[in-house]
Amino acid sequence: MKSNFSLIKSLPVILTLFCVVILPAKKITAQRIASVALSDQGNLAEGIEVSVDKTISLEMFMQRFQRVYNVYFSYEAAELKAVKVVDGNIEEQRTKDPEALLKKVLNPAGLTYEIVSKVYIIKRSAPVNLVVQKNNPGVAVAIGITGTVTDKNGPLAGVSVSEQKTGLSTVTNASGKFSLEVSTANATLVFSMVGYQTKEVKLSGASTINVVLEAVVEDLSNVIVTALGISRSKKSLAYSVGEIKAEELVRASNVNLLKSLDGKVSGVNLTNLSSDPTSSVLVNIRGTTAMPTANNANVSIKGQPLYVIDGMPVGTQTFTSKDGVDFGNILSQLNPEDIDNITILKGGSAGALYGAEGGNGVIMITTKSGKGNKKGIGVSFNSSAVVDKAYQFIESQMDYGQGERAFEWQYDNTDTWGPKLDGTYSGEYWDVTKQKWLTKSMTSSRENRMQAYLQTGNTLTNNISVYGNYDKGSFRLSLADMNNKGVMPNTKTDQKSINLNTEYRLTDKIKISISSSYIHTFSPNKANIVGSNSTINNLLFNFPANLQKLSEMRNYWLTGYENIQQNGAIMKDNGVDVATDNPWWATYEKIHRFARDNFFGRIQLDWQLAKPLSLMVRTGMENVKEEYEYRQSWGKTNMSSKFANGDGQFVTGTNSSNINNTDAILTYNKNIRKFSVTVAGGANYQFSNNSSQEMTAGKLATPALFTLANAMPGQLSVSSYGWGTSQSNSLYASAAIGYNNSLFLDITGRKDWKGILGEEKINYFYPSASLSWVASETFKMPEIFNLVKGRLAWADVGNGLVRRRSVDSYTYDASDWGAAKTISINATLVDPNIKAMHSITKEAGVDIWMLKNRMKFDFTYFIKDQKDQIDNIPTVLGTGYSGMLTNIGDVQSKGFELGLAVNPIKTKNWNWNLGASFTHYKATITKLSDQFAPNGYVFAPYDGKTTVKIAVGEEIGNIYEQNPILRVKSGKYAGLPILDGSSGEFQTSGDATDRGKLGNFNPDFILGLNNTIRFKQFTLNLVGSFRQGGKYVSVNQQYLESNGRANTTLGSGANNPWWVGGRDAANGGLAWPAEGSSQWSAVNNNNDGQRSDWQDASYAKGVFVNPNFTGTTPGDGDYVVNGADPKNTFYQIPYNSYGDVIWNFSATRTYEATNFKMREISLAYTIPTKFISRYKVNNLTLALIGRNLFQWNKSGRNEDPESAFSGVGTGQGVLRATLPSIRSYGAKLSVDF
Amino acid sequence: MKSFIIKSLAIILLAGTASCSKDALRDYDKTQELNAIESVNDPFLLSSVIKQTALFYQAFGYDNSKLPCAVQYMGRNFQGGDNFYAGFKQPSDDLYTALNILKLIDGSIRITQTKGSKIHEGIFTTFRVLLFSYITDFYGDIYYTQALKGREAILYPKYDHQVDIYTDLLAELDKANSLIAAGTEPVSSTYDLMFAGDKVQWQKFANSLKLRLLMRASAKLPSAGTKMAAIIANTAQTPIFSAKGDNAAIPFIGTRSDNSWKGGTLNWTSVEEFDKRRPGKALVDKLANLNDPRLPVWIAPIEKPWTNNMALDGVGFSSTDPNGFTYTSTWEYIDRANTAIAAQSANILDSNKMYAGFVAGMPGDWKNGNGHYNTAAGGVVGNFKVSKFSQLLRQNSSPLLMAMIMNSDEVQFILAEAAVKGLITGNADTYYRNGITFSLQRWGISAGNIATYLAQTSIALPADNAGKLAKIADQKWLALFLVSTETYLDMRRTRLPDIFKNGYLGTYEFPLRYRYPGAELGQNKNAYDAGVAALVPAVDIETSKMWLLQ
């Protein structure tokens, strides 16, 4: 395979040879010859001939060159800095063309340069030296030397081998071998290659020599891709950007690209929708600045960043969810092996060039290309197998069974306040295996239902890529296949992707590049794993311990009624109707099927028009098509109505979206004395188009036929239909001015025009300015400092534009009234004075690189003001509208982020890299429209008996209790609950200001730790993240308590401060007082209705108003402490006093969210080259990988606070039933040919 | 040259792929959608307004149990707050549903005015009066002149006084009557769901509605009698509902949940919701005492009726109601030796009867009505000792089940009351008997049975006016069964029938109004405060009196 390409491979070399030999040969100057001669004489020459150009190190030369011409540059390999070049006397020649000068100096030293986005990258020009060798007249004696050059992976082709003194050189062949004739037996050979550290070896008479080169990556990282794909020197940037390289994305073989970002970038908060490895991720950069509203208090989805793939904006991505199932999005689909790097533009200045869409930050994803690889063709193959296993299961008591009181068995009640399962009580139950009612003494299954239900999932990924890199162009083709078997039984996801990136130089001034990807995802079934509609919910809350083991429930059809009626876990007493679903029925007969086809790509033309001017034109698109089906078989509806009304359900829907972008950018680049100026201007046209359709057969006529035609009469409906188009035109410009290579000023501006209809058209201007000062260039700093930089940035960026008119429109009702069509009115009211929403961001920071760049530190402080958020203010319907779209207020986010990268140990065998990121921010409401909150505050409904307060000064993420307990306001009982005067239960205070704050779901800070240790062939990588602070409300606990599942419900203890008693005498239950023993009839009435011989009297702690009190305001003497006198105590059975009462009060189930997660551990072993080189394998690496291997929760609960969502992406901070934590471990194999 | 061609081609190609046709932008569709209000046809508006208003009203007559429980047509044997007016103690948002329909009506009226469709304008105006009268009758002062004007920048609409609203509503009905009379455009028989395009019926509706409003305000409007008399004096100009078919009501289609009777299987797939509503004891007893033929039409026999006859214990019998629905029942002996029965014996109010109603004002979650003791077997809603409603009310549609706004019998009872009170001249007894007849006819009772019924002495009007009014009120109360809001508003106004202290209701005060919606306090506070100030006492509670009752 490889040899077939050798001709093609050598073609560019031949061409280059031709050019160099024929054209410049005549132009070899006397100066050049002098220089060669000089170096022949070594150091002697320096003192003798001053008038002839003396040599200096390239590093010194380039520093001067940079000061004069104000350009950015970088070395392809660090050792190039030491290469001696002639001193070109730059200061005298400053008026000349810098490139001519550069060539003049570099070429004689066997170097050349390449301009990548305005950055000069200095590199070896090996083939040229070959020519020099052939034409070098100075060689008198020839000594033949042969040898092999390898790296840790195997033989290296294309390595330049040269004799230091003479410059005689050659390159290694495909098997890493070379032969060279040198001038002396004591010659020093220099081995160099792009991406490797240059090595000098003294021959000392040897005629055969084997050399191992070590790879370098560090120096190229000085260049970073910024907005619109403009590459910039990191040194000059005045704002903070996060950057993640390919290797970090794939190290732990995470199939979800965004999940592998976690713990690696500062200023970014990632939230998983669930612990499922394929679940979606929400990204918030520098804090969510979206304000909750009464219509939508959930801010976790708002404020998602703009995603840009290969320069093409693809919009803000959330995820597709149907019926509570998370199907992910394009980002969770991207093949991580195809990603070259991810750049996160955090602040407004970084993203200002994206105008109206850049307000929440920008995540730029660049796919891999063939360029940058070694010349020729190469093949990489990766394969990984990972096992997913759930751990940290929620516990519940398994000692008590179904019922309301511990002396009474109730087979139809899924609450477990019933009798003790020690075999003393016998009762009727539905035997799922035998399918009939049996009586037995009740015992506990002792089965953790979740643990019994979940299976071990696995993920297999295979990826093969082929690249080619030649002088005229390059390509990379990648094929990937991923199969995931979920931890939920009967769930699966298959994914295949193809990615092709090519680049071709039409002429030396024109380059065309094309990148294209197609990804296909298919899930035959993906289960609902979040929220109250899931099987998980059923297992957690509706499966009393006395029921049979899940393995005995597998026959989920009722015999004789296969495909018609399920054999439920709990049946109604007629034995044919189901009260609680059999989880296996839900597993195999409630199917969520999903497929997504995704194509995205772009074509780009780069044209160097004239010396300082270049043009880039590109156009690209992203096209997504999604198909969704929900198939629910018969089995649930009561038998009596099943045949008349049907059963089951079928939903089918499609979404498609298309977004096209075209940009043209003209760049002017010129150095004027100490100034470097880069001005770019461009235009963008964007068009997007989407449509969706969903049809529902609400009930099916034939049991398991999933077609729309099978709908029962009148049960077919079009649930949603819609299309949307948008277009925008933009002009943008940027100017970057550098002074003396130490001061850099960037100014950008973008104007967006949006809207299609004349009345909707709107435009807005987004400016930004930033300044950075490299102090280490201005002042002479102590040697340990390599870079000291301060920066300031300001920007005004957008969060979308709207201009809509108020509309009273009609829609036709989905169903007709007999023969007559009917319509409904849909009215929306829009503030005619509405303003565009935008963010003003400010940031300041420092970067310090020291100890030869082995320690890099950065700090950024930022303030982000989101102005004029657009949302609906509620209006009374007397206006004719339920709300008005207007500007409701401002939110400010403030915080800082720290990054630290240290390389404490770097020896031949050891290399230790340590990275840490620290993120802290708080977002606060700073302004509210009077129309939105006339009283200064508004409460928005939230989940789990909580509410969200909207008021100036409120932090985003604050959660309040919905139902404050009514308490005594003053006097000696101040603070105690006032109990209801007829039942002694807690009461809810109607005063909204009594609502207590439960906490904020955002962390105080996030600390990410990243550790890579290499020892010889072994590499150990550790990634962990620690989140301090934040609270969440557990609805799990709410259900567990009210259902009698939680251990805390057995009897009163430290966990239930407001309740005294228990379900039986052993658990603290109290004896019921004698009938009529209280002095008040209210107490007698209450207690006598519940009293029994069983000792389960319990009471709520608090006071009640003396029943004889007749005044309006009770004083201290009018309150009676409940429980103080057993005869005058309002008692309740635990089911009521604990189960029902605690239900309403969320304060008791708010927990700390502080946690640490060991996100990634990988141990890689790279097989030494000597074992594999004979098989023409360059690299063979075997790695053991682990993800989320352990987790520590401060609360001690077996819940993942990061998955605290009440549904798919809704109600952040409120945790409903969700998967337990999942750990993944496996192995990965990488082979490069 | 060659490279220049390549360059140019490349740029043209790139630019070409980027361009977008005007059709792809869908600007025509967008404009159409924004301007949809201008393109709707009269018939579609007509069917929509009729449907939405009729369904809105019918909801208050049965499935929303707040009013039917308050007037003791029914009681709930589960979640029984409505049994003792609990729903009146919270802010009520019902106003907003009406406003949503009014928004449709206001838009429709604007279109008819542009098009000159006078009949349609008159019809829509009638519905507009109906809904605004509903709003003010239940709340008191409320927005009227400033309502639905968000687009004119009225975000905080002021309330109008009830007296002013009433004055204007009456004038609007006159206008509606003349508009319909003057209009000449065709009215679609398919899309006129109520009167199949007969415009005189619409005039009748407008004028009958005016009678209803005049009677309601008769204590406050000195001219009410004169105005009522003027209507019946000139029925050629101002026709009213005067025959058995003259009903503002639409039948259900019965094919989907949204076009079916709420009690039917399409809406309440589980029978539990149906079984939670039980006929009130006042209703069952009144019907039984009057030998009323409507009793078996509306009410089902008890499943396990009590008997004092030990021999009957466990004996079953079946029965068939006039609509052909059959029921099986089993007698159960009141066995006081059984401790469970003995414990309940004080609660056994009806025994040896086929029908028994639910006692008024029963507390919530009370499963033991009429001594029902076997709560475990009965489940949450399964009381065997109290009648359910008949299977007729479990149908998705039936000729007898209508979404009713106003029937001809109600008009006759209004006239009967007016005649007794001297507001109009005329024979109260004739109106009264017409009212009874129309009502019985509406429920499919045969002419013979009607005659038998009317011949009873218990039907005849006594000599004294108070007695007459009580009898008329009794019959109107029966006739308005399942008809929405009218019974409640009548009982509030006349305190008849006097059933306010029935059952456990002794300590509960009959509510006089709805509390304003919570949003009014939050988002329209100044107007709300002014509205509350007009109440006596000036507190936003259900027992404060609005102008009509002051």
Side-chain angles (χ1 to χ4, degrees), chain A residues 506-507 510 512 603 605 607 615 617-619 645 660 662 685 687 713-717 723 725 727 756-757 759-760 805-810 812-813 815-825 827 829 874-881 884 931 934-935, chain B residues 3 6-7 10-11 14 17-18 20 24-27 29-31 33-35 37 40 44-45 47-48 51-52 55 96 99-100 103-104 107-108 110 143 147-151 154-157 190-191 193 250-251 253 255-256 258-259 519-520 522-524:
Chain A
L506 290 176
T507 73
I510 295 184
I512 281 195
I603 176 165
L605 172 102
W607 185 1
L615 173 71
V617 182
R618 94 187 139 199
T619 183
N645 300 328
N660 294 53
T662 302
Y685 173 76
F687 166 70
Q715 289 289 342
L716 187 63
S717 59
W723 47 259
T725 57
Q727 73 168 357
I756 291 174
L757 299 181
E759 60 182 299
E760 292 182 334
R805 64 147 132 137
S806 305
V807 175
D808 299 334
S809 75
Y810 297 117
Y812 289 98
D813 295 337
S815 63
D816 300 334
W817 189 271
K821 281 189 91 60
T822 58
I823 55 169
S824 292
I825 194 160
L829 186 61
T875 52
V876 290
L877 247 170
T879 58
Y881 305 84
M884 179 171 81
Q931 289 181 330
N935 304 328
Chain B
S3 81
I6 294 170
K7 290 169 199 172
I11 290 174
L14 283 172
T17 46
C20 172
L25 295 174
R26 290 179 178 262
D27 56 349
D29 297 349
K30 279 181 196 287
T31 316
E33 202 164 71
L34 289 172
N35 295 336
I37 191 161
V40 178
F44 294 167
L45 295 169
S47 58
S48 308
K51 176 188 109 171
Q52 288 191 19
L55 291 181
Y96 290 157
L99 280 164
N100 215 30
K103 178 129 185 73
L104 174 66
S108 305
R110 278 199 298 276
Y143 21 66
L148 307 170
K149 293 203 158 78
R151 284 186 78 171
I154 300 180
L155 291 183
Y156 308 104
T190 313
Y191 281 79
L193 308 176
I250 61 171
I253 307 292
T255 56
R256 302 172 50 106
D258 52 10
N259 63 20
E520 294 295 320
Q523 275 117 38
N524 200 15

Side-chain angles (χ1 to χ4, degrees), chain A residues 14 134 216 292 403 440 606 1123 1134 1173:
Chain A
I14 295 164
K134 300 266 170 162
V216 282
K440 70 162 186 182
D606 292 277
S1173 55

